[in-house]
Amino acid sequence: MLSTTPRTTLGREKHRGSTDRNDLYEVLDSGLICHLGVVVDGHPMVVPTGYGRIGDTLYLHGSTGARSLRAGQGQQVCVTVTHLDGIVLARSVFNHSVNYRSAVVYGEARLVTDEQERMDGLRALTEQLAPGQWDYARRPTRKELAATAVLALSLEEASVKVRSGAPEDEEEDYALPVWAGVLPVVSSWGAPVPDPVLAGDTATPAHIRDR
Amino acid sequence: MLSTTPRTTLGREKHRGSTDRNDLYEVLDSGLICHLGVVVDGHPMVVPTGYGRIGDTLYLHGSTGARSLRAGQGQQVCVTVTHLDGIVLARSVFNHSVNYRSAVVYGEARLVTDEQERMDGLRALTEQLAPGQWDYARRPTRKELAATAVLALSLEEASVKVRSGAPEDEEEDYALPVWAGVLPVVSSWGAPVPDPVLAGDTATPAHIRDR
């Protein structure tokens, strides 16, 4: 079950909400980037960034010098992951919408200091964006690790919203001679583009080629 | 030229920043949704939502009852639009990255009360998500308009960041027998899915079919 704190209880469109923790995992696990919200000098700041999940903990990382990461340490943050699945074209402008799956996580971001947890978090972050690369590419050096801040955010307080399917029009609008339906947004992988300076005999590994 | 206030001046990776206002327009105009950040009771809240642009003003809308919109009125907000273009697979885990284009806009959100500007804003919002639909679908009624809040945000204070191209590896890593390059993320339109209750003789209009 997901939390039912005031900020994770949907104020509107409650029927779009899910209280199933597995739905939260699914939205998070199928994403590539999140939008991290922090408060800086009293104003909101939203930055796109990578993330990874281990159990009920979300990991974020960045340069130790990044403003958003500094602002998040030990502070309340909000992490939102959104999948846009389609444009919902209704018979009225008012009922236009989008099909989507989104997860919103609230909590205090904890600066991870334990070396093993830092490595586990970085591995999860790498594998979220590029599965197979943690074992394939060169692992971080001590110096690289020192330049990287890892934050942990509990998934305790989170909400999930999903909209799918056809438009919901006003009763009287169904008689209008207006086309209505969904225009799907499809996200896919293009063919891998080798680094121009890559040695000619370096084959594309299967975990990249077949993703 | 874009602004150079402290919060729009990049602290890191300055070479990824653009100061060209046209780059801002391009990132915004090619997006479908933004992530709106507001401060609620001192904590950040980030929600995905639609937007539209007219000149140097961004328009947002929502139910008059939506928490995020209420929290944004007359308050500092942050609007971020992100395009994820590819996963950058480097020779080292540390240098993994993503290719992206992102715009971040800061400012005080103004509740739009002028009826003409409200209509213009709603038109821009509709056309951003579904070009051609403002003239095709049924326009908002007085009652629907009364249920809709429109917020305006000046584009005065904004920043743009872009990463493209190959990985940037450490000098000594180029000799490693590791494949490196970019895995493109491609976003495209699927075939329009008609509402199941659509009258059989309602043809898909060209502006939807040919998008």
Side-chain angles (χ1 to χ4, degrees):
Chain A
M1 284 286 287
L2 292 176
S3 57
T4 53
T5 62
R7 56 186 182 180
T8 55
T9 301
L10 301 182
R12 297 174 49 255
E13 303 191 306
K14 289 181 191 298
H15 62 292
R16 306 230 186 280
S18 165
T19 55
D20 187 342
R21 192 154 279 274
N22 288 318
D23 290 345
L24 173 68
Y25 298 154
E26 198 172 282
V27 169
L28 294 175
D29 293 354
S30 56
L32 294 168
I33 60 164
C34 66
H35 280 81
L36 165 67
V38 295
V39 177
V40 179
D41 299 334
H43 69 76
M45 178 180 183
V46 179
V47 292
T49 189
Y51 67 93
R53 180 178 78 86
I54 301 177
D56 280 318
T57 304
L58 213 61
Y59 290 95
L60 306 165
H61 78 322
S63 158
T64 50
R67 195 156 21 176
S68 53
L69 277 231
R70 284 202 315 270
Q73 287 174 31
Q75 303 296 317
Q76 287 288 324
V77 303
C78 178
V79 168
T80 299
V81 172
T82 307
H83 301 272
L84 181 63
D85 295 323
I87 312 293
V88 179
L89 304 160
R91 292 156 181 88
S92 67
V93 162
F94 185 76
N95 283 314
H96 274 59
S97 186
V98 292
N99 281 340
Y100 65 94
R101 292 159 289 144
S102 71
V104 180
V105 184
Y106 295 100
E108 190 179 304
R110 167 175 62 87
L111 180 67
V112 180
T113 51
D114 178 82
E115 280 308 312
Q116 187 59 52
E117 189 183 4
R118 274 166 55 82
M119 282 300 258
D120 292 344
L122 290 173
R123 183 192 178 106
L125 273 148
T126 303
E127 293 290 301
Q128 178 80 24
L129 210 56
Q133 286 293 95
W134 184 263
D135 285 333
Y136 177 71
R138 174 177 66 68
R139 296 274 176 89
T141 62
R142 197 178 295 263
K143 190 181 159 201
E144 289 171 342
L145 286 171
T148 307
V150 179
L151 297 185
L153 176 63
S154 164
L155 293 182
E156 198 182 329
E157 196 174 352
S159 64
V160 174
K161 259 177 108 174
V162 175
R163 194 211 183 278
S164 61
E168 290 167 21
D169 273 304
E170 306 303 320
E171 203 50 47
E172 61 272 24
D173 287 340
Y174 281 91
L176 293 175
V178 172
W179 188 92
V182 173
L183 188 62
V185 174
V186 182
S187 187
S188 57
W189 300 110
V193 179
D195 186 338
V197 298
L198 189 69
D201 56 352
T202 311
T204 314
H207 70 274
I208 297 169
R209 191 191 60 215
D210 303 336
R211 190 171 180 179
Chain B
M1 283 286 287
L2 291 177
S3 56
T4 54
T5 62
R7 56 187 182 179
T8 55
T9 301
L10 302 182
R12 296 175 49 256
E13 304 191 306
K14 289 182 191 298
H15 62 290
R16 305 230 186 281
S18 165
T19 55
D20 187 341
R21 192 153 280 273
N22 288 319
D23 290 345
L24 174 67
Y25 297 155
E26 199 172 282
V27 170
L28 294 176
D29 293 355
S30 56
L32 293 168
I33 60 163
C34 66
H35 280 81
L36 166 66
V38 296
V39 177
V40 178
D41 300 335
H43 69 76
M45 178 180 182
V46 178
V47 292
T49 189
Y51 67 94
R53 180 179 78 85
I54 301 177
D56 280 318
T57 304
L58 212 61
Y59 289 95
L60 305 165
H61 78 321
S63 157
T64 50
R67 192 155 25 176
S68 53
L69 277 230
R70 285 203 314 270
Q73 287 173 31
Q75 302 297 317
Q76 289 287 323
V77 303
C78 177
V79 169
T80 299
V81 173
T82 306
H83 301 273
L84 181 63
D85 295 323
I87 311 292
V88 179
L89 304 161
R91 292 158 181 86
S92 66
V93 163
F94 185 75
N95 283 313
H96 274 58
S97 185
V98 292
N99 281 341
Y100 65 95
R101 292 159 289 143
S102 71
V104 179
V105 184
Y106 294 100
E108 191 179 304
R110 167 175 62 88
L111 180 67
V112 181
T113 52
D114 178 82
E115 280 308 312
Q116 187 59 54
E117 188 183 5
R118 275 166 54 83
M119 283 299 259
D120 292 344
L122 289 173
R123 183 193 177 105
L125 272 149
T126 303
E127 293 289 301
Q128 178 80 26
L129 210 54
Q133 287 292 95
W134 184 262
D135 286 333
Y136 178 71
R138 174 177 67 68
R139 294 275 176 88
T141 62
R142 197 180 293 264
K143 191 180 156 201
E144 288 170 343
L145 287 171
T148 307
V150 179
L151 297 185
L153 176 64
S154 164
L155 293 182
E156 199 182 327
E157 194 173 353
S159 65
V160 174
K161 259 178 109 174
V162 175
R163 193 207 185 281
S164 61
E168 290 167 23
D169 272 305
E170 306 304 320
E171 203 50 48
E172 60 273 24
D173 287 340
Y174 281 91
L176 293 175
V178 172
W179 188 92
V182 173
L183 188 62
V185 175
V186 181
S187 188
S188 57
W189 298 111
V193 179
D195 186 338
V197 299
L198 190 68
D201 57 351
T202 311
T204 314
H207 70 274
I208 296 169
R209 192 191 58 217
D210 303 336
R211 188 170 183 181

